[in-house]
Amino acid sequence: GSTGYSVSQNGTLVYQTGSGQLGSRLLRVDRGGKETSLSPRVAQYWHPRVSPDGKRVAVEVREHGETGLKNGPMLILNLAGGTTASLAGEGFRGEWTRDGRSVIYIRRTAGVADLYSRPWDLSSPERLLVHGTDSASFYEVSPGLRRGLTAVRRGGGPRGAKTEILLAPTESLSAERPFLSKFANMTNPVVSPDGRLLAYTSDETGQVQVYVTPIPGPGPRIPVSTGLGQEPKWSPTGELYYRDGQDFVAATIKTEPSLAVAGRTPLFRDIYILQGAHADYDVFPNGDLLVLGPPAADNGANSEIFVIT
């Protein structure tokens, strides 16, 4: 079947048939753009996350169903041994706990998103942490303060819809408190390693941009990206990575004498899979990136391009 098409202003149609991109590969990319494959297996990987010690990856795998892709298993990949274990039969948007012992993930049942956790070594069964009430909620765990903080987004969607970002102690996720509320689509809330800043994206100006604001607030809220900015992620050293539509960028944020962007460094061309609403990459302890790349074998050998005038 057709895997992609485009129509010009004069009515010319171009489309491609064949295998298309049937999945993705897990890749490690250093700050100079050099790639290393982490898993030869091609699958529908989504939202990979590196453990705090950089030794393991938690990643969800989507499966094909009657109505398209559906949530599949949450896997743990041991990078040193090359082994794979199934953490949960179904789970998505997994995040490592601050101590690196467990993964927190969401499971949606009957439209409700419940939050679970389980040790990566499968030493005990999964545990229900919070019974959700809103299927649009998602959670991001940050290895920041002594107790850790979790940012929660509720709502969002079309431009102008109300979105709430809440903060909660990681050890007591039900004790959430309001932090930001806007009639805009705010996504990707992430807490800095030291727990002093929150980064997120918002489309309130008509374009999606990355912003930072201090915790616990209130305080200034400044744009980090000069134009398009998506999928912010903090590095362990405190740099803020994001995607500007062309490159991966590393921004340096200063808090004294006032909150400001001290610099932006383009790292390498962003040719990797991007989902937008939730970061499809992560950062290793040394600053390398974990990204999703197209299948190496999908080089067009089994596809054809047609033009209809």
Side-chain angles (χ1 to χ4, degrees):
S2 175
T3 62
Y5 69 92
S6 182
V7 182
S8 69
Q9 291 183 350
N10 66 6
T12 299
L13 169 70
V14 58
Y15 68 94
Q16 179 184 9
T17 66
S19 61
Q21 295 196 7
L22 302 178
S24 58
R25 295 177 299 143
L26 288 168
L27 301 173
R28 181 171 185 156
V29 185
D30 66 20
R31 289 172 66 100
K34 181 181 178 181
E35 295 180 356
T36 302
S37 178
L38 297 180
S39 175
R41 178 191 172 197
V42 173
Q44 290 285 354
Y45 295 118
W46 286 61
H47 311 141
R49 293 296 183 264
V50 182
S51 61
D53 60 9
K55 296 181 179 180
R56 285 164 286 275
V57 170
V59 63
E60 62 187 89
V61 177
R62 300 288 173 97
E63 298 178 337
H64 290 279
E66 295 181 358
T67 59
L69 288 177
K70 64 177 183 178
N71 295 326
M74 175 69 64
L75 303 181
I76 300 294
L77 280 61
N78 186 323
L79 299 182
T83 58
T84 302
S86 178
L87 185 78
E90 182 180 329
F92 66 102
R93 290 180 174 172
E95 299 286 348
W96 290 89
T97 55
R98 181 173 58 92
D99 58 13
R101 295 178 181 175
S102 301
V103 176
I104 295 175
Y105 53 93
I106 296 173
R107 179 182 300 160
R108 184 173 294 147
T109 305
V112 175
D114 294 331
L115 193 65
Y116 289 84
S117 74
R118 191 179 187 188
W120 69 265
D121 60 3
L122 314 182
S123 58
S124 62
E126 66 180 8
R127 180 168 61 99
L128 177 64
L129 298 179
V130 180
H131 180 67
T133 58
D134 183 352
S135 62
S137 296
F138 71 80
Y139 300 78
E140 300 251 9
V141 177
S142 173
L145 298 173
R146 179 178 59 85
R147 291 177 55 82
L149 279 178
T150 297
V152 183
R153 175 179 71 106
R154 286 185 176 162
R159 187 183 174 197
K162 185 178 181 180
T163 312
E164 294 179 297
I165 295 177
L166 306 98
L167 296 178
T170 302
E171 290 84 351
S172 181
L173 292 173
S174 59
E176 58 192 26
R177 63 178 178 86
F179 185 71
L180 286 176
S181 179
K182 273 187 166 297
F183 284 95
N185 191 26
M186 298 188 294
T187 61
N188 286 275
V190 282
V191 180
S192 64
D194 62 7
R196 299 175 60 190
L197 296 172
L198 179 83
Y200 64 98
T201 60
S202 175
D203 66 355
E204 60 202 71
T205 65
Q207 182 179 48
V208 177
Q209 288 185 266
V210 176
Y211 295 84
V212 293
T213 191
I215 296 173
R221 188 178 60 92
I222 64 167
V224 177
S225 54
T226 56
L228 176 67
Q230 301 179 86
E231 297 192 354
K233 290 290 294 183
W234 295 97
S235 77
T237 60
E239 282 185 298
L240 182 61
Y241 290 11
Y242 66 92
R243 310 169 82 160
D244 70 359
Q246 295 184 336
D247 301 301
F248 276 96
V249 180
T252 303
I253 312 297
K254 66 176 185 177
T255 57
E256 298 295 339
S258 60
L259 184 63
V261 179
R264 302 175 184 87
T265 303
L267 299 180
F268 51 84
R269 184 66 64 180
D270 185 2
I271 58 174
Y272 304 100
I273 293 172
L274 180 146
Q275 192 260 355
H278 191 72
D280 265 325
Y281 73 99
D282 203 11
V283 187
F284 281 91
N286 72 340
D288 289 356
L289 295 187
L290 170 66
V291 300
L292 299 179
D298 189 10
N299 57 9
N302 298 318
S303 65
E304 296 179 288
I305 295 177
F306 294 85
V307 177
I308 299 177
T309 60

